Amino acid sequence: MAVLPGAEAVLAAASADPAAPGVIAGDDAGELVAALTELLASHRVWDRFPPAVS
């Protein structure tokens, strides 16, 4: 998820942590698209959940 300045309300409404893996913010839309494209190429689901304890 990439957000430009002023989108903090959208993150809050979605209960999205701006520091969560896969969430990026910045001022330059072109840089955000480049960074988001790199993130989309990786599978980060395991970064989003704590390890299970058996």
Side-chain angles (χ1 to χ4, degrees):
M1 181 183 307
V3 294
L4 290 166
E8 295 83 10
V10 175
L11 288 177
S15 298
D17 179 358
V23 180
I24 55 173
D27 296 328
D28 185 297
E31 289 178 10
L32 284 176
V33 169
L36 184 61
T37 301
E38 287 184 34
L39 286 173
L40 290 173
S42 64
H43 189 64
R44 296 168 318 283
V45 67
W46 303 122
D47 295 336
R48 295 184 182 126
F49 301 99
V53 178
S54 53

Short mmCIF file of all heavy atoms in Angstrom, two decimals:
data_model
loop_
_atom_site.label_atom_id
_atom_site.label_comp_id
_atom_site.label_asym_id
_atom_site.label_seq_id
_atom_site.Cartn_x
_atom_site.Cartn_y
_atom_site.Cartn_z
N MET A 1 0.85 -1.15 0.00
CA MET A 1 0.00 0.00 0.00
C MET A 1 0.91 1.23 0.00
O MET A 1 1.83 1.31 0.79
CB MET A 1 -0.88 -0.03 1.26
CG MET A 1 -1.83 1.11 1.37
SD MET A 1 -2.81 1.11 2.91
CE MET A 1 -3.51 -0.51 2.92
N ALA A 2 0.65 2.14 -0.88
CA ALA A 2 1.44 3.36 -0.95
C ALA A 2 0.51 4.56 -0.73
O ALA A 2 -0.58 4.60 -1.27
CB ALA A 2 2.11 3.48 -2.31
N VAL A 3 0.95 5.48 0.10
CA VAL A 3 0.13 6.65 0.40
C VAL A 3 0.94 7.94 0.28
O VAL A 3 2.11 7.99 0.61
CB VAL A 3 -0.49 6.57 1.81
CG1 VAL A 3 -1.49 5.43 1.90
CG2 VAL A 3 0.56 6.41 2.88
N LEU A 4 0.27 8.94 -0.23
CA LEU A 4 0.84 10.28 -0.33
C LEU A 4 0.45 11.07 0.90
O LEU A 4 -0.46 10.68 1.64
CB LEU A 4 0.33 10.96 -1.60
CG LEU A 4 0.85 10.38 -2.91
CD1 LEU A 4 0.03 10.90 -4.09
CD2 LEU A 4 2.31 10.72 -3.10
N PRO A 5 1.10 12.21 1.15
CA PRO A 5 0.73 13.04 2.29
C PRO A 5 -0.76 13.39 2.26
O PRO A 5 -1.34 13.59 1.20
CB PRO A 5 1.58 14.31 2.11
CG PRO A 5 2.76 13.85 1.33
CD PRO A 5 2.22 12.78 0.40
N GLY A 6 -1.37 13.38 3.43
CA GLY A 6 -2.79 13.67 3.54
C GLY A 6 -3.65 12.42 3.57
O GLY A 6 -4.86 12.49 3.75
N ALA A 7 -3.03 11.26 3.38
CA ALA A 7 -3.79 10.01 3.34
C ALA A 7 -3.83 9.32 4.70
O ALA A 7 -4.28 8.18 4.80
CB ALA A 7 -3.19 9.08 2.30
N GLU A 8 -3.38 10.00 5.73
CA GLU A 8 -3.37 9.39 7.06
C GLU A 8 -4.78 8.96 7.48
O GLU A 8 -4.95 7.93 8.12
CB GLU A 8 -2.79 10.36 8.09
CG GLU A 8 -1.32 10.68 7.88
CD GLU A 8 -1.08 11.78 6.85
OE1 GLU A 8 -2.04 12.44 6.42
OE2 GLU A 8 0.09 11.98 6.48
N ALA A 9 -5.79 9.73 7.10
CA ALA A 9 -7.17 9.39 7.47
C ALA A 9 -7.61 8.09 6.79
O ALA A 9 -8.35 7.30 7.37
CB ALA A 9 -8.11 10.52 7.10
N VAL A 10 -7.13 7.87 5.57
CA VAL A 10 -7.47 6.64 4.85
C VAL A 10 -6.85 5.44 5.56
O VAL A 10 -7.50 4.41 5.75
CB VAL A 10 -7.01 6.71 3.38
CG1 VAL A 10 -7.25 5.39 2.67
CG2 VAL A 10 -7.70 7.85 2.66
N LEU A 11 -5.59 5.57 5.97
CA LEU A 11 -4.94 4.49 6.71
C LEU A 11 -5.68 4.21 8.01
O LEU A 11 -5.91 3.05 8.36
CB LEU A 11 -3.48 4.84 7.00
CG LEU A 11 -2.52 4.82 5.83
CD1 LEU A 11 -1.13 5.27 6.27
CD2 LEU A 11 -2.44 3.46 5.19
N ALA A 12 -6.04 5.25 8.72
CA ALA A 12 -6.75 5.08 9.99
C ALA A 12 -8.10 4.40 9.76
O ALA A 12 -8.49 3.51 10.51
CB ALA A 12 -6.93 6.43 10.68
N ALA A 13 -8.83 4.81 8.73
CA ALA A 13 -10.14 4.22 8.44
C ALA A 13 -10.02 2.75 8.07
O ALA A 13 -10.92 1.95 8.34
CB ALA A 13 -10.83 4.99 7.31
N ALA A 14 -8.90 2.38 7.47
CA ALA A 14 -8.66 0.99 7.09
C ALA A 14 -7.98 0.20 8.20
O ALA A 14 -7.67 -0.97 8.02
CB ALA A 14 -7.80 0.94 5.83
N SER A 15 -7.76 0.84 9.35
CA SER A 15 -7.04 0.22 10.46
C SER A 15 -5.68 -0.30 10.02
O SER A 15 -5.22 -1.35 10.47
CB SER A 15 -7.86 -0.91 11.09
OG SER A 15 -9.06 -0.41 11.62
N ALA A 16 -5.05 0.43 9.11
CA ALA A 16 -3.73 0.04 8.60
C ALA A 16 -2.65 0.78 9.36
O ALA A 16 -2.70 1.99 9.52
CB ALA A 16 -3.63 0.36 7.11
N ASP A 17 -1.68 0.03 9.85
CA ASP A 17 -0.54 0.59 10.55
C ASP A 17 0.43 1.16 9.53
O ASP A 17 0.92 0.42 8.66
CB ASP A 17 0.13 -0.49 11.38
CG ASP A 17 1.34 -0.02 12.15
OD1 ASP A 17 1.72 1.17 12.03
OD2 ASP A 17 1.92 -0.84 12.87
N PRO A 18 0.73 2.46 9.58
CA PRO A 18 1.65 3.03 8.59
C PRO A 18 3.06 2.46 8.65
O PRO A 18 3.83 2.61 7.71
CB PRO A 18 1.64 4.53 8.90
CG PRO A 18 1.00 4.68 10.21
CD PRO A 18 0.23 3.44 10.51
N ALA A 19 3.40 1.77 9.75
CA ALA A 19 4.72 1.17 9.88
C ALA A 19 4.70 -0.32 9.54
O ALA A 19 5.72 -0.99 9.67
CB ALA A 19 5.24 1.37 11.30
N ALA A 20 3.57 -0.84 9.11
CA ALA A 20 3.46 -2.27 8.80
C ALA A 20 4.24 -2.63 7.54
O ALA A 20 4.44 -1.78 6.67
CB ALA A 20 1.99 -2.64 8.61
N PRO A 21 4.69 -3.88 7.46
CA PRO A 21 5.38 -4.32 6.24
C PRO A 21 4.47 -4.13 5.03
O PRO A 21 3.29 -4.45 5.07
CB PRO A 21 5.64 -5.81 6.47
CG PRO A 21 5.61 -5.97 7.96
CD PRO A 21 4.61 -4.95 8.46
N GLY A 22 5.03 -3.57 3.98
CA GLY A 22 4.27 -3.38 2.76
C GLY A 22 3.53 -2.06 2.67
O GLY A 22 2.89 -1.78 1.67
N VAL A 23 3.60 -1.24 3.71
CA VAL A 23 2.98 0.08 3.69
C VAL A 23 4.09 1.11 3.55
O VAL A 23 5.02 1.14 4.35
CB VAL A 23 2.16 0.35 4.98
CG1 VAL A 23 1.53 1.74 4.93
CG2 VAL A 23 1.09 -0.71 5.18
N ILE A 24 3.99 1.93 2.51
CA ILE A 24 5.01 2.95 2.29
C ILE A 24 4.33 4.30 2.11
O ILE A 24 3.21 4.39 1.64
CB ILE A 24 5.90 2.62 1.08
CG1 ILE A 24 5.07 2.40 -0.18
CG2 ILE A 24 6.77 1.42 1.36
CD1 ILE A 24 5.90 2.23 -1.44
N ALA A 25 5.01 5.33 2.53
CA ALA A 25 4.49 6.69 2.39
C ALA A 25 5.60 7.58 1.88
O ALA A 25 6.78 7.33 2.12
CB ALA A 25 3.98 7.19 3.74
N GLY A 26 5.22 8.62 1.17
CA GLY A 26 6.21 9.55 0.67
C GLY A 26 5.57 10.70 -0.06
O GLY A 26 4.35 10.75 -0.23
N ASP A 27 6.39 11.65 -0.47
CA ASP A 27 5.92 12.86 -1.13
C ASP A 27 5.93 12.74 -2.65
O ASP A 27 5.24 13.49 -3.33
CB ASP A 27 6.79 14.06 -0.74
CG ASP A 27 6.68 14.37 0.74
OD1 ASP A 27 5.62 14.14 1.33
OD2 ASP A 27 7.69 14.84 1.31
N ASP A 28 6.73 11.85 -3.20
CA ASP A 28 6.91 11.75 -4.64
C ASP A 28 6.17 10.53 -5.18
O ASP A 28 6.55 9.39 -4.89
CB ASP A 28 8.41 11.66 -4.96
CG ASP A 28 8.70 11.69 -6.44
OD1 ASP A 28 8.26 10.76 -7.16
OD2 ASP A 28 9.38 12.64 -6.88
N ALA A 29 5.14 10.76 -5.97
CA ALA A 29 4.33 9.65 -6.49
C ALA A 29 5.15 8.71 -7.35
O ALA A 29 4.96 7.49 -7.30
CB ALA A 29 3.14 10.20 -7.28
N GLY A 30 6.07 9.24 -8.14
CA GLY A 30 6.91 8.39 -8.98
C GLY A 30 7.78 7.45 -8.17
O GLY A 30 7.92 6.27 -8.50
N GLU A 31 8.36 7.97 -7.09
CA GLU A 31 9.19 7.13 -6.21
C GLU A 31 8.32 6.08 -5.51
O GLU A 31 8.75 4.94 -5.32
CB GLU A 31 9.91 7.99 -5.19
CG GLU A 31 11.02 8.83 -5.79
CD GLU A 31 11.70 9.71 -4.75
OE1 GLU A 31 11.45 9.55 -3.54
OE2 GLU A 31 12.49 10.58 -5.17
N LEU A 32 7.11 6.46 -5.11
CA LEU A 32 6.22 5.51 -4.46
C LEU A 32 5.84 4.37 -5.41
O LEU A 32 5.80 3.21 -5.00
CB LEU A 32 4.95 6.20 -3.96
CG LEU A 32 5.09 7.02 -2.70
CD1 LEU A 32 3.78 7.74 -2.37
CD2 LEU A 32 5.51 6.16 -1.52
N VAL A 33 5.56 4.70 -6.66
CA VAL A 33 5.21 3.66 -7.63
C VAL A 33 6.39 2.70 -7.81
O VAL A 33 6.21 1.48 -7.84
CB VAL A 33 4.78 4.27 -8.98
CG1 VAL A 33 4.69 3.22 -10.07
CG2 VAL A 33 3.45 4.99 -8.83
N ALA A 34 7.60 3.22 -7.92
CA ALA A 34 8.78 2.37 -8.07
C ALA A 34 8.96 1.47 -6.85
O ALA A 34 9.21 0.27 -6.99
CB ALA A 34 10.02 3.23 -8.29
N ALA A 35 8.81 2.03 -5.66
CA ALA A 35 8.97 1.24 -4.43
C ALA A 35 7.85 0.21 -4.31
O ALA A 35 8.09 -0.94 -3.92
CB ALA A 35 8.98 2.16 -3.22
N LEU A 36 6.64 0.59 -4.65
CA LEU A 36 5.51 -0.34 -4.57
C LEU A 36 5.68 -1.48 -5.57
O LEU A 36 5.38 -2.64 -5.25
CB LEU A 36 4.20 0.41 -4.83
CG LEU A 36 2.93 -0.41 -4.68
CD1 LEU A 36 2.79 -0.95 -3.27
CD2 LEU A 36 1.72 0.44 -5.04
N THR A 37 6.19 -1.19 -6.74
CA THR A 37 6.43 -2.23 -7.74
C THR A 37 7.42 -3.26 -7.20
O THR A 37 7.22 -4.46 -7.38
CB THR A 37 6.96 -1.60 -9.04
OG1 THR A 37 5.99 -0.66 -9.51
CG2 THR A 37 7.21 -2.65 -10.10
N GLU A 38 8.45 -2.81 -6.52
CA GLU A 38 9.41 -3.74 -5.91
C GLU A 38 8.75 -4.57 -4.82
O GLU A 38 8.98 -5.77 -4.71
CB GLU A 38 10.60 -2.98 -5.33
CG GLU A 38 11.54 -2.44 -6.36
CD GLU A 38 12.74 -1.76 -5.72
OE1 GLU A 38 13.20 -2.23 -4.66
OE2 GLU A 38 13.23 -0.77 -6.30
N LEU A 39 7.91 -3.94 -4.00
CA LEU A 39 7.24 -4.66 -2.92
C LEU A 39 6.27 -5.71 -3.46
O LEU A 39 6.13 -6.79 -2.89
CB LEU A 39 6.48 -3.69 -2.01
CG LEU A 39 7.32 -2.84 -1.07
CD1 LEU A 39 6.45 -1.81 -0.37
CD2 LEU A 39 8.02 -3.72 -0.05
N LEU A 40 5.59 -5.40 -4.56
CA LEU A 40 4.63 -6.34 -5.12
C LEU A 40 5.30 -7.62 -5.62
O LEU A 40 4.66 -8.66 -5.71
CB LEU A 40 3.85 -5.68 -6.26
CG LEU A 40 2.87 -4.60 -5.83
CD1 LEU A 40 2.29 -3.90 -7.05
CD2 LEU A 40 1.76 -5.17 -4.97
N ALA A 41 6.57 -7.54 -5.91
CA ALA A 41 7.31 -8.70 -6.40
C ALA A 41 7.68 -9.67 -5.28
O ALA A 41 8.12 -10.78 -5.54
CB ALA A 41 8.56 -8.26 -7.15
N SER A 42 7.51 -9.25 -4.03
CA SER A 42 7.88 -10.13 -2.91
C SER A 42 6.63 -10.55 -2.14
O SER A 42 5.61 -9.88 -2.16
CB SER A 42 8.87 -9.43 -1.98
OG SER A 42 8.28 -8.30 -1.39
N HIS A 43 6.74 -11.66 -1.46
CA HIS A 43 5.63 -12.21 -0.68
C HIS A 43 5.91 -11.91 0.79
O HIS A 43 6.79 -12.50 1.39
CB HIS A 43 5.53 -13.72 -0.91
CG HIS A 43 4.31 -14.33 -0.33
ND1 HIS A 43 3.05 -14.00 -0.77
CD2 HIS A 43 4.15 -15.24 0.65
CE1 HIS A 43 2.16 -14.69 -0.07
NE2 HIS A 43 2.80 -15.45 0.79
N ARG A 44 5.17 -10.96 1.36
CA ARG A 44 5.46 -10.48 2.71
C ARG A 44 4.47 -10.96 3.77
O ARG A 44 4.46 -10.49 4.88
CB ARG A 44 5.50 -8.95 2.73
CG ARG A 44 6.60 -8.36 1.89
CD ARG A 44 6.42 -6.88 1.70
NE ARG A 44 5.06 -6.45 1.44
CZ ARG A 44 4.42 -6.59 0.26
NH1 ARG A 44 5.02 -7.13 -0.76
NH2 ARG A 44 3.18 -6.19 0.11
N VAL A 45 3.60 -11.89 3.43
CA VAL A 45 2.55 -12.27 4.37
C VAL A 45 3.12 -12.70 5.72
O VAL A 45 2.57 -12.40 6.76
CB VAL A 45 1.62 -13.36 3.77
CG1 VAL A 45 2.36 -14.67 3.59
CG2 VAL A 45 0.40 -13.53 4.65
N TRP A 46 4.26 -13.40 5.70
CA TRP A 46 4.81 -13.89 6.97
C TRP A 46 5.41 -12.75 7.80
O TRP A 46 5.60 -12.91 9.01
CB TRP A 46 5.84 -14.98 6.71
CG TRP A 46 5.23 -16.10 5.91
CD1 TRP A 46 5.67 -16.55 4.71
CD2 TRP A 46 4.06 -16.87 6.24
NE1 TRP A 46 4.83 -17.56 4.27
CE2 TRP A 46 3.84 -17.77 5.19
CE3 TRP A 46 3.17 -16.87 7.30
CZ2 TRP A 46 2.78 -18.68 5.17
CZ3 TRP A 46 2.11 -17.77 7.29
CH2 TRP A 46 1.93 -18.65 6.24
N ASP A 47 5.66 -11.61 7.19
CA ASP A 47 6.15 -10.45 7.94
C ASP A 47 5.01 -9.79 8.72
O ASP A 47 5.26 -8.99 9.61
CB ASP A 47 6.76 -9.41 7.00
CG ASP A 47 8.00 -9.92 6.31
OD1 ASP A 47 8.66 -10.84 6.86
OD2 ASP A 47 8.32 -9.40 5.23
N ARG A 48 3.77 -10.09 8.36
CA ARG A 48 2.62 -9.41 8.95
C ARG A 48 2.08 -10.09 10.20
O ARG A 48 1.27 -9.52 10.91
CB ARG A 48 1.51 -9.31 7.91
CG ARG A 48 1.88 -8.45 6.74
CD ARG A 48 0.73 -8.30 5.79
NE ARG A 48 1.12 -7.49 4.67
CZ ARG A 48 1.00 -7.86 3.40
NH1 ARG A 48 0.46 -9.01 3.10
NH2 ARG A 48 1.40 -7.07 2.44
N PHE A 49 2.49 -11.33 10.43
CA PHE A 49 1.94 -12.08 11.56
C PHE A 49 3.09 -12.57 12.46
O PHE A 49 4.13 -12.98 11.95
CB PHE A 49 1.15 -13.28 11.06
CG PHE A 49 0.00 -12.91 10.17
CD1 PHE A 49 0.10 -12.98 8.79
CD2 PHE A 49 -1.18 -12.42 10.71
CE1 PHE A 49 -0.95 -12.62 7.97
CE2 PHE A 49 -2.24 -12.06 9.90
CZ PHE A 49 -2.13 -12.16 8.53
N PRO A 50 2.88 -12.55 13.76
CA PRO A 50 3.92 -13.08 14.65
C PRO A 50 4.02 -14.60 14.48
O PRO A 50 3.05 -15.25 14.09
CB PRO A 50 3.43 -12.71 16.05
CG PRO A 50 1.95 -12.51 15.91
CD PRO A 50 1.72 -12.06 14.50
N PRO A 51 5.18 -15.17 14.75
CA PRO A 51 5.33 -16.62 14.65
C PRO A 51 4.39 -17.33 15.62
O PRO A 51 4.14 -16.86 16.73
CB PRO A 51 6.78 -16.89 15.03
CG PRO A 51 7.45 -15.56 15.15
CD PRO A 51 6.39 -14.52 15.18
N ALA A 52 3.88 -18.45 15.20
CA ALA A 52 3.01 -19.26 16.05
C ALA A 52 3.85 -19.98 17.10
O ALA A 52 4.97 -20.39 16.83
CB ALA A 52 2.24 -20.27 15.22
N VAL A 53 3.29 -20.12 18.25
CA VAL A 53 3.97 -20.83 19.34
C VAL A 53 3.26 -22.16 19.52
O VAL A 53 2.04 -22.22 19.62
CB VAL A 53 3.92 -20.01 20.65
CG1 VAL A 53 4.58 -20.79 21.76
CG2 VAL A 53 4.54 -18.67 20.45
N SER A 54 4.03 -23.25 19.54
CA SER A 54 3.38 -24.56 19.70
C SER A 54 3.43 -25.04 21.12
O SER A 54 4.10 -24.60 21.96
CB SER A 54 4.03 -25.57 18.79
OG SER A 54 5.42 -25.61 18.98
#
